[in-house]
Amino acid sequence: MRRGAPETLVWMALLGLLVPTALCDPVPPSEAVVPEAVVPESAVPESVRAAADTPCQPSSTATDTTERLEKLRKLMADNGVGAYIIPSDDEHGSEYTATADHRRQWITGFTGSAGDAVVTADKALLWTDSRYWVQAGRQLDCSWQLMKKGDEGVLSIEKWLGKNLNASVRVGADPRMLSYNLWSSWDNYLAGVGGPRMLPVEENLVDEAWGAGKPDYPADPIVPLDVKYAGATWQSKVGRVRDSMRAAGHDLLVLSALDDCAWLLNLRSGEVPYTPVFRCYVAVGLDALHVFVPEDKITPVVRDHLADPAFNTEVLPHQDVWTVLPKLAATAKSVALTMPVVYHTGASYKLYKAVPPSTVKFIASPVLYMKAAKNSVEANGMKRAHVKDAVALIEMMYILAEEVPAGKYWDEQMVVDAMAKLRWQQEGSHGPSFDTIAAYGLNAALPHYEPSNATNVQIGTDNLFMLDSGGQYSEGTTDVTRTMHFGTPSAAQVEIYTKLLKGCIDLASTKFPKGYTMQNLEVVLRSPLFSLGLQYGHGSTHGIGHFLAVHESFDYAYELNFFGSQEPGYYREGEFGMRLENIVQVVSADIKFKSVTQFLTFETTTLVPYERKLIDTSILSKEEIKWLNIYNQRIKMAVGPELLRQNKTKVYRWLLEQTRAFS
């Protein structure tokens, strides 16, 4: 996939792998989305929008935000704040957010989901990283100053506030939208430099400025996930959480991450794009359970699902958490709030303020660890989901392989649309799991590219085509990337592709002691590419949910039945890009000698063939070719019958050709 996370920086630095390029996998909510255009940087407005004597010339695609800023600044003055921070996050720190939570997008006109805005009485600034400078340059009007995050000389938000505002100014923000960790970090820095201080503004000022035009949340109902898919009742899951609380000495745990809540309660919905979750807080006590969800979605179905006298469950309106939680916390000796872990941003500042500070303990969510190691039903469901997904993706590959060389017109957006339709044809499909990346030629050199009207190009036979996509199914979630060529690839493309494949095979074949992390194994995946003097600047793994988030948080330590990605890539700016991505399952390894330590290995869950014309078997060892042949046989045996069952005989015959054994 196309994301990146703060933790990635730490272990990449330790390995000496850190390079100044955009991260790809995994990524927190504030780090997502795609540059909108492939144009030279000379076409982009300067990061600090020119000197006063240089007239600003906004792009024709920029949004006029003059009136929006006027409304916001009046509200700021009424609330006594001289600066107002608008982050990209919703109040749950979600990676993907509902349109109703696109506050930063609305106030700036910049639609990418990576970036944070600051508005003062006379300035409006947007911070975003290099992946989005082109898009921001096209979408920001002259009211805004683009702060190129990570560029030399560009201050971070807190340092800019400390340098440009005096101590008498108050910096306002909605305390629901910033994590406690980030809020306290910024406020402590500002206090240390004698700068302005942070001020919680309870009513979101952007919401007020947005007014009647602000969209509603989707009306999708909250529905139970049958235990035949979940593999465990919500009661058993809550029981496990309570056991962990007793062991740690906590009598109240507050969950705010939407995938944590959905997994724990065996409930799903469609409020957030690509992720079947809903707005929710859960307060887990040792003898009571309080669930906070949107009032219009507290239906008899939801109440009946959660009704169990032994668990003393109370279902309440979503925003009642702010009045009920202080009462629950007042009688608790130890209240556990969640801390940041990869995609989980942790408890908001407002959650922290709702609890007596002396009782607060910050912990990694116990649900995070529970859902990372799939139970047997979830694991089998993930495998079934990948077979279904393989049918859709293999049919797409077949169509392109047949029609593009024959001269039939296909462009990137057509592939995105066709891929979605093919997935919807599969039983139990709930649509894509993220924005599909369909990138041809030089567009594929952008790891996070997503086609738009401004960048969409025809797919031809002269260069590589990269397709990164995934689906949501009742049985599980998928994410897979394959790179193809519909003509004759260059020798360099073949060599690089084969090295990426070699890395995939080597890592998937590795046996390692239980508890090893991606930090320990990363070099195995990258080493073949290193041998060419090449590398890539994004992470190589992320967890994946069971009919939940396509990017699921985990602590990078591998456990049995963990499912996650392995995804090396290479991107040559202005020429081509390629990535190979599989979802793998951690399984027990057969070892020669007995050991007191359990050894693990990976089994590849993704069942989609590689591009034969991009593979040079002379670069692969005999063991690697053996692995590839076994993998192709698995694809043929697992996906072939399903293609025939769905009467896709032409696709089946094509698959047989793609999976024939290599010598």
Side-chain angles (χ1 to χ4, degrees):
M1 259 293 296
R2 56 185 172 93
R3 309 296 185 200
E7 287 77 2
T8 309
L9 293 171
V10 176
W11 56 259
M12 287 179 74
L14 290 173
L15 290 169
L17 303 177
L18 188 58
V19 293
T21 54
L23 296 178
C24 175
D25 272 297
V27 86
S30 61
E31 297 284 332
V33 173
V34 173
E36 189 166 278
V38 183
V39 295
E41 185 155 330
S42 60
V44 184
E46 294 297 324
S47 67
V48 177
R49 285 202 186 253
D53 58 350
T54 304
C56 169
Q57 296 295 328
S59 168
S60 60
T61 56
T63 300
D64 185 353
T65 61
T66 304
E67 185 178 350
R68 300 175 186 184
L69 286 169
E70 287 176 357
K71 291 180 180 179
L72 177 60
R73 284 173 171 140
K74 182 180 185 306
L75 291 166
M76 290 166 55
D78 293 344
N79 285 270
V81 295
Y84 192 68
I85 300 173
I86 308 105
S88 296
D89 294 345
D90 63 12
E91 65 183 275
H92 299 278
S94 305
E95 177 182 5
Y96 292 107
T97 57
T99 307
D101 288 315
H102 289 181
R103 298 173 180 88
R104 196 268 301 137
Q105 289 90 325
W106 180 79
I107 196 65
T108 64
F110 167 62
T111 59
S113 52
D116 301 305
V118 173
V119 176
T120 69
D122 60 355
K123 292 186 181 299
L125 308 99
L126 171 74
W127 275 261
T128 191
D129 64 64
S130 60
R131 294 170 293 172
Y132 316 109
W133 294 347
V134 171
Q135 181 178 354
R138 284 175 167 261
Q139 293 182 323
L140 296 179
D141 69 3
C142 293
S143 300
W144 288 89
Q145 178 175 317
L146 175 58
M147 304 295 287
K148 292 186 174 181
K149 189 176 178 181
D151 207 6
E152 185 176 357
V154 176
L155 300 176
S156 61
I157 288 178
E158 72 277 18
K159 290 182 178 179
W160 187 92
L161 293 170
K163 182 178 180 179
N164 290 278
L165 302 178
N166 62 51
S168 64
V169 173
R170 289 295 173 261
V171 178
D174 185 335
R176 298 174 302 161
M177 307 300 165
L178 291 176
S179 69
Y180 166 77
N181 188 65
L182 188 59
W183 184 291
S184 58
S185 173
W186 285 356
D187 199 38
N188 290 339
Y189 171 82
L190 292 172
V193 297
R197 301 302 299 275
M198 302 280 290
L199 175 70
V201 180
E202 297 298 332
E203 297 298 325
N204 191 285
L205 301 187
V206 174
D207 284 352
E208 292 189 44
W210 207 339
K214 186 176 185 290
D216 294 328
Y217 289 93
D220 302 53
I222 299 172
V223 297
L225 181 67
D226 196 298
V227 72
K228 72 179 182 180
Y229 298 122
T233 65
W234 67 263
Q235 291 94 329
S236 67
K237 294 178 179 181
V238 171
R240 291 173 63 193
V241 170
R242 285 176 171 166
D243 288 344
S244 73
M245 292 168 59
R246 292 188 187 97
H250 306 309
D251 41 13
L252 184 65
L253 166 68
V254 183
L255 300 174
S256 57
L258 300 186
D259 58 337
D260 273 7
C261 297
W263 182 88
L264 180 68
L265 302 173
N266 283 352
L267 292 170
R268 299 293 190 270
S269 188
E271 280 199 355
V272 176
Y274 310 121
T275 312
V277 294
F278 48 93
R279 286 164 289 158
C280 183
Y281 293 97
V282 178
V284 184
L286 296 178
D287 56 6
L289 186 71
H290 291 79
V291 178
F292 303 88
V293 297
E295 187 169 14
D296 61 334
K297 299 185 180 183
I298 304 176
T299 62
V301 171
V302 173
R303 289 192 183 279
D304 290 347
H305 174 74
L306 295 174
D308 187 331
F311 283 80
N312 194 18
T313 303
E314 188 171 4
V315 185
L316 299 165
H318 183 240
Q319 292 299 298
D320 280 10
V321 67
W322 308 118
T323 56
V324 175
L325 181 58
K327 298 174 185 177
L328 298 175
T331 59
K333 295 179 180 179
S334 177
V335 180
L337 299 180
T338 57
M339 66 183 188
V341 180
V342 192
Y343 308 108
H344 283 196
T345 59
S348 68
Y349 183 70
K350 186 164 184 174
L351 277 177
Y352 170 77
K353 296 298 288 184
V355 177
S358 61
T359 66
V360 172
K361 303 293 182 184
F362 282 98
I363 65 168
S365 166
V367 175
L368 181 148
Y369 295 100
M370 293 175 189
K371 71 177 189 295
K374 274 52 177 176
N375 62 46
S376 60
V377 173
E378 290 173 322
N380 288 330
M382 292 290 282
K383 294 176 183 178
R384 288 195 299 274
H386 278 78
V387 171
K388 294 178 179 181
D389 202 64
V391 170
L393 184 52
I394 289 170
E395 183 169 7
M396 184 78 263
M397 294 167 67
Y398 157 74
I399 292 171
L400 293 173
E402 290 291 306
E403 296 185 354
V404 171
K408 185 166 182 179
Y409 182 88
W410 276 93
D411 61 36
E412 296 164 335
Q413 288 185 317
M414 289 172 65
V415 173
V416 172
D417 295 340
M419 196 69 254
K421 290 177 182 177
L422 290 170
R423 282 198 167 95
W424 276 112
Q425 291 175 8
Q426 298 303 307
E427 183 181 356
S429 174
H430 297 273
S433 57
F434 59 93
D435 292 309
T436 295
I437 300 173
Y440 176 70
L442 60 87
N443 285 346
L446 292 171
H448 316 280
Y449 172 80
E450 180 186 328
S452 69
N453 291 334
T455 65
N456 187 41
V457 297
Q458 181 178 356
I459 299 167
T461 59
D462 297 329
N463 212 331
L464 297 169
F465 174 66
M466 185 173 72
L467 181 60
D468 184 350
S469 65
Q472 292 284 8
Y473 302 87
S474 299
E475 295 98 329
T477 304
T478 73
D479 179 7
V480 56
T481 307
R482 287 294 182 264
T483 300
M484 295 150 268
H485 201 299
F486 305 117
T488 303
S490 69
Q493 290 172 339
V494 170
E495 184 176 22
I496 296 168
Y497 182 99
T498 307
K499 291 290 188 178
L500 296 183
L501 175 58
K502 187 180 180 75
C504 290
I505 295 172
D506 292 350
L507 181 55
S509 306
T510 298
K511 298 177 182 180
F512 55 92
K514 180 181 178 181
Y516 260 48
T517 67
M518 191 59 180
Q519 293 97 314
N520 302 127
L521 303 176
E522 173 82 0
V523 72
V524 177
L525 187 66
R526 292 178 180 262
S527 181
L529 198 63
F530 285 172
S531 70
L532 299 178
L534 304 175
Q535 64 170 320
Y536 53 95
H538 57 72
S540 302
T541 192
H542 61 79
I544 189 168
H546 172 261
F547 187 29
L548 272 177
V550 71
H551 301 124
E552 186 168 88
S553 294
F554 79 113
D555 66 356
Y556 293 106
Y558 288 125
E559 300 286 345
L560 278 174
N561 279 348
F562 166 81
F563 284 76
S565 71
Q566 293 178 351
E567 46 184 308
Y570 176 70
Y571 314 93
R572 183 171 291 178
E573 185 177 356
E575 293 188 36
F576 62 83
M578 61 180 80
R579 181 162 63 250
L580 300 177
E581 178 182 16
N582 292 324
I583 299 301
V584 298
Q585 176 187 8
V586 176
V587 297
S588 293
D590 292 328
I591 54 175
K592 183 176 182 179
F593 298 104
K594 290 185 178 180
S595 171
V596 294
T597 302
Q598 183 181 15
F599 273 71
L600 305 172
T601 189
F602 301 105
E603 182 177 284
T604 303
T605 308
T606 300
L607 294 170
V608 179
Y610 295 101
E611 175 66 275
R612 296 184 71 89
K613 67 178 67 175
L614 285 168
I615 300 173
D616 180 356
T617 55
S618 70
I619 297 175
L620 302 177
S621 69
K622 291 182 180 179
E623 286 301 312
E624 289 164 343
I625 295 173
K626 179 181 177 182
W627 184 98
L628 184 57
N629 286 335
I630 292 173
Y631 178 64
N632 280 338
Q633 183 71 7
R634 285 183 58 216
I635 295 172
K636 182 167 60 178
M637 298 301 292
V639 185
E642 187 62 22
L643 286 169
L644 292 175
R645 189 186 72 82
Q646 297 186 29
N647 296 317
K648 300 179 185 293
T649 54
K650 291 183 179 179
V651 183
Y652 174 72
R653 288 196 293 268
W654 181 83
L655 177 64
L656 293 182
E657 173 62 22
Q658 301 308 306
T659 54
R660 58 185 171 84
F662 288 91
S663 300

